[in-house]
Structures are given as structure tokens and as C-alpha cells.
């Protein structure tokens, strides 16, 4: 328990709190790679350091490898050297079952394993070098309602020649997971299509995205849907199959609008609006912000544009009077230079604040003055604190004018 007794003049204040003391030792656990085959050597390394980033020497560490059902597969002990490093090497058994294992390092001197220094995921799988590569090219970065995806699958040998004799199977993957108990991949696939590679090692497919866009209508909050597809190419000369997984993005709107940083002081609101295309690139749009009145009609409150990063700052937007039991309903409309248009209604739920505090800039050089503007509340004195790293570095009292 920590107790603080403070006094100033005739005033005295007592405060106490329970403090939990945790270990000051930290650890960074790593392996030489993330994918291993049975029979290969696994090299694990633990770097231990204290809160001042100095190495912790002569500390016993326990390395434990758990299988996917949390049974101990391997265990080893090591002690950190003068650089705070402990390491161990394991020869994975040839009979080790395939799956995602997790490696843990903890304090070997502790009676239990509660003092953990680090953990890492290790995948054990069999793999062979491919004899040819598979690529999938889409005609668009994203698809709007009414658009279909044209996909070209290409098979190429590693020495550069096309796979001219082969079959391509294109499927949509609903689920793909490794089943540790049966040691097999569990696949849930749909919308299968089959085609033959031409003399250039290419095959073309058309994917209907009507169902994906229909699902977006039912779930209004889902603006983007990413569908995972897999292309399996089988070389008829060898019977070898290689695959390529890729994503097809279906977007409900050409422009995505997001509202964040909502705050409200009295009858004014401040927030950020970001505009992006469905591929993640910022959208330079002309933005019109309105509000629905009690009669259902939309009244325009402000018009502005997003910057090159797709961001618009809305400060002190005057809101229309609305019943206290209803949130203000904002209407945002955006249009870019190619005439792409989107309209979105957003209930303004920003938390109410007594004051709106802003500065003239966001970045200052040493010695430059910081001009602060405070709005809201009633006339009178308020305290203004400047805080850095949870510590008050400057404080003053300001009188607000009506």
C-alpha cells in the first residue's frame, strides 16, 4: 500500500492506493524461422532485459514447446549469459505431427510458470519446392454492384516456359483450416469452375459477384466484402498441382466515408471525415454536410473538400435544434472529379464536453508560442494544465468572457 500525505497551509489531504509490484524483467523470444519440417533443427533464442533496457545475466529460463492441443512436445533449460541471452536447439522428431505449435519461455526458478518472458508461434509442416508458379490477375482492384470479375490464371515453369498442358480449377474458399487430429486440411469451397490452359499457359474466368453485393444490402454496416479464391493448376505431364490464393474485393459504394473523433460542445460539433476508395487510396472529394430536421428535410450546414490524404476537419459545426431524446442525424454527401457519388447518414453520438480546446497548430518548434482557444461553458475562471507523460509541466488560470 502506498500512502501520500499532502498539505498546504491549513489544508491537508490524505490518499492511499494498493500497488501491485510486477516483474521488472522483460523478454524477447524468437526462432530462426517460422516454418519447420519434421526432422529439422529448431533454434530458439531469448533476450532478457530490465526496465532500463539492460541485459539480465545469470537467470535460468525454461523453454517449452506446446502442440495445438496444449500438450508439452519438447522442453529445455538454459541460463542467460552476460548479454542476457539464453538459447536452445531442438531436433524435431521425424514423427512429429503437423500443425501450429507455440513456444513459451518462462522463469525456471519460479515454482510455477506464471512469470512468462515471451512466446512465439511455430508451424510444423511438410513442404516441397514447386516446379512451376501460379499467378492470378484481376481486371479491377475492386468491384461495384453490377460489375463482374474477370480473372486470368497463368502457369509458368520456374525456367520461364509456360505450362501449356494443364487444367485450372477456380474455387471460392469459404473456410480453410488444418485439422490436427486427422492431419488434413478441412476445406469448404464453393462456386467451382474448370478451364484448360492455352498455348500461352493462361486461362480466363468470369466470377459473378451478385450474391456478395446482395449480402451487403442486408448488412448495411458492411461496406466492403473480401472473397478468398483459390486457383489450382495441375500439370498433366507430371500430375503435379500448385495453387494460388487471392482476394476479390466487392464494394457497396465507389467511395467509403468514415466519421471519427466526434465531440460536441453545446450546439456545436467537431469531427473528422475521411474518404477512401475501396482499394484504400485516399479520395479527393467535395463534401457536403447536412442535418435532418424534425420534419425529415435535410438542411445543408457546410461544404468543404478533403485534402490529398482524404481527410476533412470539421470544426464547430452549428447543429440544428433537435429533441433531447434523439441524436442529431447528419447527412454526408461526397462527389469526386470522376463524378463518383456516395451518400451516408450518420447519427452523431459524440460525447458532450464542457469546453472545446484547440491550438493554432499541431507541431511547434522549441521557443515558439502556443496559442490556445477555449470555448464553451459559462463565463468565469477555468484552470488550464499542460501535461507531458502524465506530469503537469505548466498550469494557469484563465477567465472566460461571455
Amino acid at each position: 500500500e502506498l500512502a501520500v500525505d499532502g498539505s498546504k497551509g491549513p489544508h491537508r489531504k490524505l490518499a492511499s492506493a494498493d500497488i501491485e509490484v510486477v516483474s521488472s524483467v522483460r523478454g524477447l523470444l524468437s526462432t530462426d524461422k517460422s516454418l519447420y519440417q519434421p526432422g529439422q533443427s529448431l533454434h530458439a533464442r531469448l533476450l532478457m532485459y530490465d526496465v532500463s533496457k539492460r541485459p539480465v545475466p545469470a537467470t535460468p529460463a525454461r523453454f517449452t514447446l506446446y502442440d495445438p492441443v496444449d500438450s508439452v512436445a519438447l522442453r529445455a533449460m538454459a541460463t542467460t549469459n552476460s548479454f542476457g541471452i539464453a538459447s536452445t536447439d531442438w531436433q524435431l522428431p521425424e514423427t512429429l505431427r503437423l500443425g501450429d505449435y507455440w513456444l513459451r519461455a518462462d522463469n525456471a526458478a519460479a515454482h510455477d510458470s506464471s512469470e512468462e518472458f515471451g512466446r512465439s508461434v511455430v508451424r510444423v509442416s511438410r513442404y516441397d519446392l514447386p516446379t512451376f508458379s501460379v499467378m492470378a490477375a484481376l481486371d479491377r482492384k475492386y468491384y461495384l454492384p453490377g460489375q463482374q470479375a474477370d480473372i486470368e490464371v497463368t502457369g509458368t515453369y520456374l525456367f520461364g516456359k509456360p505450362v501449356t498442358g494443364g487444367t485450372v480449377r477456380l474455387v471460392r474458399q469459404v473456410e480453410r483450416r488444418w485439422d490436427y487430429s486427422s492431419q488434413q486440411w478441412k476445406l469448404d469451397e464453393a462456386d467451382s469452375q474448370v478451364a484448360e490452359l492455352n498455348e500461352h499457359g493462361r486461362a480466363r474466368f468470369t466470377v459473378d459477384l451478385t450474391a456478395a453485393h446482395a449480402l451487403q444490402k442486408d448488412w448495411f454496416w458492411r461496406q466492403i466484402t473480401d472473397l478468398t479464391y483459390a486457383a489450382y493448376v495441375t500439370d498433366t505431364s507430371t500430375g503435379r498441382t500448385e495453387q494460388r490464393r487471392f482476394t476479390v474485393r466487392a464494394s457497396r459504394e465507389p467511395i467509403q466515408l468514415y466519421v471519427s473523433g466526434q465531440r460536441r460542445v453545446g450546439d456545436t460539433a467537431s469531427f473528422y471525415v475521411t474518404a477512401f476508395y475501396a482499394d484504400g487510396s485516399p479520395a479527393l472529394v467535395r463534401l457536403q454536410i447536412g442535418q435532418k430536421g424534425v420534419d425529415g428535410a435535410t438542411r445543408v450546414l457546410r461544404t468543404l473538400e478533403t485534402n490529398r490524404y482524404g481527410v476533412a476537419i470539421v470544426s464547430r459545426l452549428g447543429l440544428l435544434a433537435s429533441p433531447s431524446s434523439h441524436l442529431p442525424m447528419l447527412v454526408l454527401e461526397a462527389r469526386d472529379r470522376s463524378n463518383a457519388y456516395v451518400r451516408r447518414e450518420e447519427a452523431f453520438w459524440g460525447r458532450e464536453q464542457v469546453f472545446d480546446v484547440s491550438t493554432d497548430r499541431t507541431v511547434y518548434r522549441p521557443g515558439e508560442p502556443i496559442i490556445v482557444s477555449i470555448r464553451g461553458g459559462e463565463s468565469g475562471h477555468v484552470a488550464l494544465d499542460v501535461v507531458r507523460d502524465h506530469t503537469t509541466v505548466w498550469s494557469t488560470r484563465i477567465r472566460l468572457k461571455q
Side-chain angles (χ1 to χ4, degrees):
E1 182 181 5
L2 176 65
V4 179
D5 184 352
S7 61
K8 183 176 182 181
H11 304 286
R12 185 181 181 185
K13 183 71 173 179
L14 298 175
S16 63
D18 292 331
I19 298 178
E20 181 182 0
V21 179
V22 297
S23 173
S24 60
V25 179
R26 300 291 184 266
L28 179 62
L29 180 63
S30 60
T31 56
D32 58 325
K33 55 182 182 178
S34 58
L35 178 62
Y36 298 87
Q37 294 194 86
Q40 292 183 337
S41 294
L42 185 153
H43 307 281
R45 176 180 181 270
L46 174 67
L47 171 62
M48 296 178 59
Y49 55 93
D50 57 21
V51 293
S52 61
K53 306 299 183 182
R54 296 187 178 184
V56 179
T59 301
R62 176 172 45 237
F63 295 86
T64 309
L65 184 68
Y66 295 90
D67 64 17
V69 294
D70 292 336
S71 299
V72 176
L74 296 168
R75 176 168 284 166
M77 310 287 286
T79 303
T80 58
N81 57 20
S82 58
F83 299 100
I85 297 175
S87 61
T88 186
D89 297 334
W90 280 315
Q91 183 75 26
L92 300 180
E94 290 285 354
T95 57
L96 190 66
R97 293 169 65 84
L98 309 182
D100 288 340
Y101 291 68
W102 61 282
L103 178 64
R104 172 189 169 116
D106 53 53
N107 188 354
H111 297 293
D112 56 18
S113 58
S114 59
E115 189 175 359
E116 179 181 311
F117 294 145
R119 63 173 57 194
S120 178
V121 177
V122 174
R123 170 164 292 185
V124 178
S125 177
R126 297 193 182 276
Y127 55 91
D128 299 318
L129 293 177
T131 58
F132 61 92
S133 63
V134 178
M135 300 298 294
L138 283 70
D139 62 325
R140 299 174 185 268
K141 295 181 179 180
Y142 57 89
Y143 298 88
L144 300 175
Q147 295 178 343
Q148 295 181 330
D150 290 330
I151 304 171
E152 183 180 73
V153 179
T154 305
T156 307
Y157 292 110
L158 299 185
F159 52 81
K161 296 292 184 178
V163 181
T164 55
T167 303
V168 184
R169 185 169 68 94
L170 181 70
V171 297
R172 178 172 60 86
Q173 287 193 343
V174 181
E175 184 182 12
R176 178 179 183 268
R177 62 180 179 86
W178 177 257
D179 186 72
Y180 179 73
S181 59
S182 64
Q183 293 287 284
Q184 292 180 343
W185 283 106
K186 296 295 184 180
L187 302 176
D188 184 3
E189 299 176 337
D191 305 335
S192 178
Q193 300 184 54
V194 179
E196 299 292 328
L197 294 174
N198 60 19
E199 66 274 13
H200 303 292
R202 299 174 181 176
R204 300 188 70 89
F205 298 88
T206 299
V207 175
D208 187 1
L209 300 175
T210 303
H213 285 120
L215 189 62
Q216 291 175 338
K217 291 182 179 179
D218 297 334
W219 295 349
F220 70 93
W221 49 268
R222 176 174 286 183
Q223 300 188 53
I224 293 176
T225 302
D226 287 333
L227 305 174
T228 301
Y229 280 80
Y232 299 95
V233 177
T234 302
D235 185 357
T236 54
S237 62
T238 62
R240 180 73 176 266
T241 299
E242 302 291 348
Q243 62 178 289
R244 170 70 65 177
R245 290 189 298 276
F246 57 95
T247 299
V248 177
R249 172 163 290 187
S251 177
R252 186 174 61 190
E253 304 287 355
I255 302 171
Q256 314 297 320
L257 292 180
Y258 301 93
V259 178
S260 61
Q262 297 98 321
R263 59 191 187 278
R264 180 177 179 179
V265 178
D267 58 354
T268 63
S270 299
F271 52 93
Y272 299 97
V273 179
T274 53
F276 293 92
Y277 295 108
D279 61 354
S281 59
L284 181 60
V285 300
R286 184 171 181 81
L287 185 66
Q288 180 176 283
I289 302 175
Q291 180 183 348
K292 278 190 173 182
V294 292
D295 57 355
T298 300
R299 293 168 175 82
V300 178
L301 303 180
R302 187 173 299 180
T303 301
L304 66 165
E305 292 185 352
T306 59
N307 59 19
R308 57 177 177 156
Y309 303 107
V311 179
I313 302 176
V314 183
S315 300
R316 303 187 183 98
L317 179 70
L319 299 176
L320 302 176
S322 60
S324 58
S325 59
H326 294 77
L327 293 175
M329 182 63 69
L330 298 183
V331 179
L332 291 83
E333 298 180 79
R335 191 182 301 273
D336 68 0
R337 294 177 180 176
S338 64
N339 210 33
Y341 171 81
V342 64
R343 182 182 187 273
R344 180 178 176 181
E345 296 186 1
E346 179 85 12
F348 190 84
W349 50 265
R351 62 187 181 92
E352 295 231 11
Q353 300 179 163
V354 178
F355 301 107
D356 180 16
V357 182
S358 61
T359 57
D360 59 326
R361 304 210 320 256
T362 56
V363 179
Y364 297 86
R365 292 187 178 91
E368 290 185 337
I370 302 176
I371 301 176
V372 181
S373 175
I374 303 176
R375 294 173 181 266
E378 299 178 354
S379 60
H381 287 90
V382 297
L384 177 65
D385 296 333
V386 178
V387 181
R388 181 181 62 189
D389 298 332
H390 307 288
T391 302
T392 301
V393 297
W394 185 79
S395 181
T396 188
R397 285 167 57 87
I398 299 175
R399 181 176 180 81
L400 296 182
K401 299 179 180 179
Q402 190 67 33

